Every structure is written in structure tokens, then in C-alpha cells.
Amino acid sequence: MNHYSLYLAAGLLSVGVSAFAQPAGDSLTSTAPASHPASDVVVSTVPGASSTRADDTVVSTAPTNTAQQQAIAQAFEQRFPGIRVDAVRVTPMGGLYEVQVGMDLLYTDAKVDYVLQGSLIDAKARRDLTAEHLEVLQRVAFDSLPLDQAIRQVKGTGARKVAVFEDPNCGYCKQLHKTLEGIDNTTVYTFLFPILAADSSTKARDIWCAANPAQAWKDWMLKGELPPKAECATPLEKNLELGRKLNVQGTPALFFADGSRVSGALPLDALKKKFDEQHG
């Protein structure tokens, strides 16, 4: 889970205490594994800001009961005012239902007396069903990204493509660009995503407004050289809104041509493998 998960858990607990009087003995249990170690994380998004309805085969192995699932969604929203449920799905575990809130997954019983936050593990098959379903939900069609809002850097044929949300003050982003130096035939689309420091927006603006934004970005990320101050219209606000819709929790956030995403800077071998999976 990520920092949004922690935010959601806190929100559920807060709502449960202040806005919904629960009977004695009712409780909420929350577990949140640590976020990806190789990313700078600061963003929490509003629950329900974006929802992606996808194939349910990862979780829904039992016949669906639409009326019951609707009842669970309504009960959940009544118990936690302000939380919008995007979907309810049957899980392989009897009596346990998956509740999708934005890009997060929780689990509850049919009466919404208990809520669990964490990973649902298939112990026999050694599969993390939660992680598998989140991967499906979070896929993004690469061609749907507004690439005109990104800085484009092409190396060699440019055949291997990736879009990255980056902050000028992100140390892991700089690490990623050093790694990219060792990979040929790439096109990198950088969505400037100033979230980490007070001067992130200023640096992002000066780089975007430079005579050669791609070179200015490379000089900053690899050499620590900033371009002169510059003023122009920028896509920074649009990028921030896009990141919220895509549930970008920190930088770097990488989106590959096959729709998959990775949060954090990958080591060279892992990054090469991801590119090879895209283009062969």
C-alpha cells in the first residue's frame, strides 16, 4: 500500500469516530505495508477522484449478486460519509467482499461491520490477489496521455517509450536519468510534477520555458545546472491534475507503453527488462 492508503485508513477511522456512531464492539483494522523505497512520496489524493473499471477475474471468482453488492456499497457509504465506493466485488474468501475506493482496495463483510486494509493472499497459489488486481486497475493506455504536456527526450531510434512524472528536486529521478544513460533507443516523456519543495515549481517553470527544455532538463538532472530564469505559459497545473487523476503518489512514477506503471527508480537490469517487455 502507499501513502494514499495511510490517508484513507486515517480518514475511515476519523469518519467512524466523528461522523458515524458505531455500536460497542465495532472496530476498524488497518494494515499498510511500506511504500516503494526508491521514490520521493508526498502526495495524497482525494478518495474517488478517479476510478477505472477493469476486468474482475483476478478477484471475482464467485457468481455476483448485484443487489447484495449494491447494498454493501450503500452501507459502506452510509457508515463512512464522504467516501464514494466505485465498485464492490466478490472475493474467493467466503463472506469477504472487495471494496474499491478510487484506486485503493479494502475488504469488508456483508454488513460492513468490519473493514480490512491490506493484501489478500492466496496461500495455496502464493499469489497476492490485491496486488494483482491493483495492477489491472492502475493500467493506463499510453496513447491517452497528453504527451504535449511533457518534455520529450529521444535517444537513438526512440523506439522504447516511457512517460515519467518527475520533480526537479527528486533525487530518485536524478538516479533514474543516470540509469537511462545506459539504455539505447529510448523516448522519455517527462511530465514536470512539482510537489516536493517550495522552489520545485520555479525550477520546473524555468526548465519548461528554456530555449531547449529537453537539454535544460538533462543538464539539471545529470549536471545540476539550471537554466536562466524564464517566464512562459506552462502545463504544470494540468500535470498536477493529471497526476491526481492517475493516483500518482510520488516521483518518479513511470508509465510504460503496455499500460503498466512502476513507482520509483528501477536499477539498470530491471529497467532494461521492462523496456524489452514493451518492444522486444
Side-chain angles (χ1 to χ4, degrees):
M1 293 290 176
N2 48 40
H3 280 222
Y4 170 58
S5 299
L6 295 175
Y7 166 82
L8 179 58
L12 292 177
L13 289 169
S14 175
V15 169
V17 171
S18 63
F20 190 91
Q22 298 190 46
D26 283 8
S27 62
L28 296 176
T29 302
S30 171
T31 59
S35 56
H36 198 287
S39 62
D40 293 321
V41 183
V42 299
V43 178
S44 62
T45 52
V46 178
S50 172
S51 64
T52 303
R53 305 198 180 270
D55 190 290
D56 294 345
T57 55
V58 175
V59 171
S60 299
T61 59
T64 59
N65 183 330
T66 301
Q68 184 177 37
Q69 288 167 278
Q70 290 178 346
I72 292 171
Q74 291 173 359
F76 198 98
E77 291 176 347
Q78 289 173 1
R79 193 172 287 277
F80 304 108
I83 299 294
R84 183 174 69 85
V85 173
D86 291 291
V88 174
R89 303 179 182 89
V90 176
T91 76
M93 182 175 174
L96 189 70
Y97 296 85
E98 178 189 271
V99 178
Q100 181 186 339
V101 177
M103 285 290 192
D104 208 351
L105 300 177
L106 304 105
Y107 300 93
T108 188
D109 62 300
K111 294 183 178 180
V112 195
D113 286 335
Y114 298 92
V115 176
L116 302 174
Q117 186 171 23
S119 292
L120 180 62
I121 305 296
D122 183 334
K124 293 181 180 179
R126 297 294 194 272
R127 292 170 55 203
D128 185 335
L129 300 182
T130 303
E132 290 179 7
H133 202 188
L134 280 172
E135 183 178 353
V136 172
L137 291 173
Q138 293 182 350
R139 297 181 78 86
V140 174
F142 195 86
D143 291 342
S144 72
L145 294 171
L147 299 178
D148 60 322
Q149 295 172 201
I151 294 173
R152 177 171 172 265
Q153 298 181 79
V154 180
K155 184 177 181 182
T157 65
R160 298 173 176 179
K161 298 178 180 179
V162 63
V164 191
F165 283 77
E166 304 185 70
D167 184 291
N169 289 308
C170 168
Y172 289 115
C173 299
K174 294 177 181 178
Q175 177 182 319
L176 172 64
H177 280 272
K178 290 179 181 178
T179 303
L180 284 166
E181 287 292 286
I183 302 179
D184 292 326
N185 303 323
T186 59
T187 299
V188 180
Y189 294 93
T190 293
F191 286 91
L192 296 173
F193 196 61
I195 57 174
L196 293 177
D199 67 345
S200 290
S201 293
T202 300
K203 289 176 179 176
R205 180 205 64 202
D206 292 344
I207 290 168
W208 178 266
C209 296
N212 186 337
Q215 187 62 49
W217 182 248
K218 183 176 181 179
D219 288 344
W220 170 242
M221 299 307 280
L222 296 179
K223 302 177 184 178
E225 298 176 359
L226 278 173
K229 179 179 178 180
E231 298 280 354
C232 71
T234 74
L236 300 184
E237 288 300 322
K238 291 181 179 179
N239 289 352
L240 291 171
E241 178 60 25
L242 177 64
R244 285 190 287 268
K245 289 181 178 179
L246 297 179
N247 197 36
V248 174
Q249 301 295 322
T251 56
L254 292 76
F255 293 78
F256 291 90
D258 66 351
S260 64
R261 68 165 75 187
V262 172
S263 297
L266 294 172
L268 181 60
D269 289 345
L271 189 55
K272 282 184 176 179
K273 182 179 179 181
K274 282 294 296 182
F275 276 125
D276 289 343
E277 290 171 355
Q278 315 304 306
H279 194 68

